[in-house]
Structures are given as structure tokens and as C-alpha cells.
Amino acid sequence: MSSPEYLVFGQPLIARDEIDEVVDSMQKAWLGTGPKAAAFEKSIAAYKTNPGEAAPFAVGLNSCTAGLHLSCLALDLQPGDEVITTAMTFCATVNAIIHAGATPVLADVDPSTFNIDPADVRRKITPKTKALLPVHFAGRPCDMDALMAIAKEHNLHVIEDCAHAIETLYKGRAAGTFGDCGALSFYSTKNIVTGEGGMVITKDEAIAARIKMLALHGMSLDAWKRFSDDGYKHYDVAEVGFKYNMMDLQAAIGLRQMEKIGAYLERRLVVWNRYQEAFADLPIGLPAPLEDTLSTGSRHALHLYTVLIDPARTGGITRDALLLHLHRLGIGTGVHYRAIPTHSAYKKRFGWDAAAWPVAHRIGEQTVSLPLSAKLTDADIDRVISGVKGLIK
Ligand SMILES: *Cc1c(COP(=O)(O)O)cnc(C)c1O
């Protein structure tokens, strides 16, 4: 028997309809920003509309990183301003703050949700604090009541990193609609993919317009249609911008993906429940039950399924040993994440010592993400489960 194919971590499910939609863009020779990017923005805005409220404005971009960066700029963060974010996130969250000229300040996380701890946020507030940048980790909503109360009290902007949180609800409201801006990712491993891609949603039309302009060199907005039927229009460069716009080729994939967002989430729930049941008796740390979120009208987007491997409980087996063991069995895993202050660039720049964020540091040493994608077959799930159980009993 030939060995099964390598299970690539986070590989998306791409079907005929996505392929056809991309081919359609190519046949029309409209590759860059155009009607499909606009339709995809509309689709996300509709999906992120809260009951009884108007749809947010949505601006398609080439990444969530770009979205976080432009959100910081559009909110006029200045050099010296402090932005409190989480020590347990992807480097892009922190890089965006730094590239906007502001200073990241890290708060530690809650040990059961891995989300930013509002009590530590309070401890980190100084007169220079201008914004909070929470991340809905793995798709589990942050404690937005607590965070928005802090923001109100101290007059802070809020940017939500929704890279994991397209489907996330907090008490019936969509993640990304609590703060000034929410930044979504459609990177290849995320819940909805466009290859590379991102989007900012915001209730503020002026912020949306500024982000849209900054995403295309800072050219005045009618530059988007400068080859319209009315003839050629000169554009004005109103700000020194960036090249962050979303292509129709990307949006073509996303448009078809959005039609399946509910089905994908259901499938990931099946995978999630199989893992929770299979690993219940193992000496490893499992994700907190979903009931926490479901009972309050909230929804976990089920982006990552993370377990904690504590050698003190596993008889000396480390996280890295499990990673290697699964790799040898042809199963790709992820580490989300080593804590931000463990990385050399930040240590050098800010003098951070990871020990100052004990919860994030411990999670960073022990965490491993198992495959969780709509693409997984039942046989794939069995393979992952028996792989884990082959090492840890
Ligand atoms: C993936 C990710 C990003 C960056 O998304 P891109 O679209 O790849 O730029 C930012 N924050 C978090 C938490 C992420 O997981």
C-alpha cells in the first residue's frame, strides 16, 4: 500500500466553481481591481451586518496585514502613541502597529481562551495609550464588553484583528463591528481564502474612503474609474499611499468561497467535536468547550484547533516531539504562536523578556494546532487522531 499523501496544514478546499470564476476573470481580461472586488466587498459587508443595523463599509485589500496597517493610519495614530495588543498573536499584528509609527504594548492573555486579558489591558494603560488592538484568537470572540468599556473610559480607538474571525459573533454581533475597524484575512489557510487577501470593515464612511485611497497610492478616489465612459480624468495624489488593493482574480475565489461559508463552518465543527471526544482522556490541554460562547449568542469561528503539550503531564513528551512525530506520519501541523516577545526583532527593539507575559509564554512553548479545514476527509481525521494517540497515551 502506498503511504497516504502529506496532509498540508490548513490547505483550503478549492472546487470547480472557484476555478471557473477565476477563469472567467482571465477570459474577460479583468485581472486587477474591478467588479468582482466590489462584489466581494458587498458580500462580506452583508455577512458582517448586525441585525437591525446598516451594513458596514468594506474595503478589499491584498492582506489583513495591510488592513491593520491602514486602520492604524486612518485613525491617525502618531509616533509615540501606544497601542495595546496581545502577546499571543501573529507577528503581523505587531508589525502593522510599528509600521504605522506607533508603539506596541503587549498585554498577557487568558489561559483558557488565549484571548487578550482585559485586566492586564487595564494595567498597561498609560497617558500615551491611544488604541486597543485585540485579536479574536482561533475565532473565539474576545471579551468585547470589557474591552469596549475600557476603550470608552480612556477614549481609545479599537481595531479588531479578525484574521481568524470571519464567522465570529459576540453576543449576537459580528466580530469587527465593535471597534472603529475590523481587519479580515483571506490568506490561504484562513476560513475563507483568496490566496492572499484582506478587508477592512468599518461603520465610518470617511475612514473607509481614507483606507481605500491609501490602498491605491493615495490617489484621489475617482482615480479608480479614471478610464470611465466620460473620458480620461486626471488624478491627484492626496496622500503618500501604498499598493494594497485587492485584485479581481483574488475576489473571484472569495466570492465563490462565501457561498460555502456556512457549510465549511459546519464541517469544521464535525472535525472539532471528533478531536474533543477522541482526546478527552489524554493528558493534554484541550480548547475550552464551545458552550462558553454558544450560550451567550456568540459563535466561535473554529479557525484553529490547538492543544497544549505540557511535558510535566505527558511523561516528558514535548510539543516539538509531537510536531516531529506527526510530520513523520505525513501530517502537517502549525504553531500559533510562539509568544511575540520571544522573537529577536522585538527583543532587540523593545528589550522585551517573554517571562513578563507568563501565560502567553507558556502557551507559546506548549501549543500545537492540528489540521482543521473543510478539506479534511473522515479518513484524514482518523489519521490525525491515531497519530496523536500513537505518541501520547
Ligand atoms: C493571518 C493573520 C494575520 C495576517 O493576515 P494576512 O492576510 O496574511 O496579512 C494577522 N493577524 C493574525 C492573527 C493572523 O492569523
Side-chain angles (χ1 to χ4, degrees):
M1 212 180 85
S2 66
S3 57
E5 233 178 283
Y6 196 90
L7 203 57
V8 178
F9 181 83
Q11 198 162 56
L13 186 56
I14 298 296
R16 191 72 241 172
D17 52 340
E18 281 107 352
I19 295 169
D20 289 344
E21 196 66 54
V22 171
V23 169
D24 174 71
S25 289
M26 300 194 73
Q27 281 166 342
K28 288 175 178 153
W30 199 316
L31 311 183
T33 304
K36 286 186 190 177
F40 186 48
E41 287 169 343
K42 234 175 144 178
S43 161
I44 293 290
Y47 187 78
K48 285 290 192 183
T49 303
N50 295 316
E53 292 180 18
F57 300 93
V59 184
L61 301 167
N62 59 11
S63 72
C64 174
T65 307
L68 294 168
H69 183 202
L70 295 188
S71 295
C72 289
L73 294 178
L75 293 170
D76 279 325
L77 294 180
Q78 302 294 326
D81 288 352
E82 293 179 354
V83 179
I84 301 179
T85 190
T86 164
M88 179 44 58
T89 185
F90 187 51
C91 57
T93 316
V94 173
N95 291 348
I97 296 168
I98 297 170
H99 287 313
T103 303
V105 172
L106 304 179
D108 208 350
V109 296
D110 178 295
S112 77
T113 64
F114 298 15
N115 274 329
I116 194 166
D117 174 7
D120 202 39
V121 170
R122 273 191 192 280
R123 286 190 283 272
K124 299 289 162 65
I125 288 189
T126 76
K128 292 181 181 167
T129 309
K130 288 287 150 47
L132 305 181
L133 207 170
V135 177
H136 302 287
F137 189 91
R140 191 184 296 269
C142 290
D143 183 348
M144 292 314 294
D145 283 347
L147 294 173
M148 294 311 292
I150 295 170
K152 195 165 173 204
E153 214 174 294
H154 296 274
N155 196 23
L156 308 175
H157 290 301
V158 176
I159 300 166
E160 297 173 68
D161 182 333
C162 297
H164 303 175
I166 299 174
E167 305 90 336
T168 301
L169 300 176
Y170 176 76
K171 300 190 178 177
R173 293 172 51 87
T177 64
F178 290 84
D180 300 86
C181 297
L184 284 61
S185 175
F186 310 113
Y187 175 65
S188 305
T189 60
K190 302 289 158 80
N191 289 354
I192 292 293
V193 303
T194 61
E196 300 284 356
M199 200 171 288
V200 171
I201 56 171
T202 175
K203 290 176 287 247
D204 188 324
E205 189 168 9
I207 288 176
R210 181 131 183 246
I211 287 176
K212 192 160 188 163
M213 183 174 72
L214 285 169
L216 199 65
H217 308 294
M219 297 193 300
S220 54
L221 280 187
D222 42 8
W224 289 72
K225 40 182 186 203
R226 67 182 184 274
F227 297 108
S228 74
D229 294 342
D230 319 332
Y232 184 86
K233 261 198 198 123
H234 290 291
Y235 59 82
D236 174 49
V237 178
E239 278 199 75
V240 180
F242 302 85
K243 189 73 205 309
Y244 282 168
N245 54 306
M246 176 180 273
M247 300 193 290
D248 266 25
L249 281 179
Q250 297 167 297
I253 308 170
L255 274 172
R256 294 300 162 203
Q257 289 264 302
M258 278 306 286
E259 291 168 1
K260 295 174 262 192
I261 189 166
Y264 285 177
L265 183 62
E266 261 175 55
R267 179 61 188 166
R268 292 197 306 279
L269 182 59
V270 169
V271 181
W272 178 286
N273 287 334
R274 290 255 353 251
Y275 287 161
Q276 287 288 76
E277 209 182 295
F279 301 142
D281 297 328
L282 296 188
I284 63 178
L286 300 185
L290 296 175
E291 284 72 45
D292 303 6
T293 53
L294 294 173
S295 59
T296 56
S298 300
R299 181 166 68 197
H300 193 307
L302 309 178
H303 174 57
L304 297 173
Y305 183 87
T306 61
V307 296
L308 294 177
I309 309 298
D310 177 358
R313 289 182 63 199
T314 57
I317 296 164
T318 61
R319 181 266 310 276
D320 290 356
L322 178 61
L323 286 177
L324 193 61
H325 167 79
L326 292 173
H327 169 68
R328 287 189 177 131
L329 293 173
I331 299 167
T333 54
V335 172
H336 303 92
Y337 301 94
R338 288 169 61 229
I340 288 292
T342 60
H343 293 286
S344 57
Y346 310 123
K347 278 200 272 198
K348 229 182 280 168
R349 190 185 274 248
F350 301 111
W352 287 339
D353 173 2
W357 296 269
V359 181
H361 185 52
R362 178 179 57 82
I363 291 169
E365 297 288 301
Q366 299 183 353
T367 190
V368 52
S369 303
L370 301 178
L372 177 66
S373 141
K375 192 167 190 238
L376 296 178
T377 63
D378 290 347
D380 293 332
I381 304 169
D382 291 339
R383 249 176 95 193
V384 176
I385 291 172
S386 64
V388 171
K389 288 185 159 178
L391 187 69
I392 298 174
K393 325 251 175 212

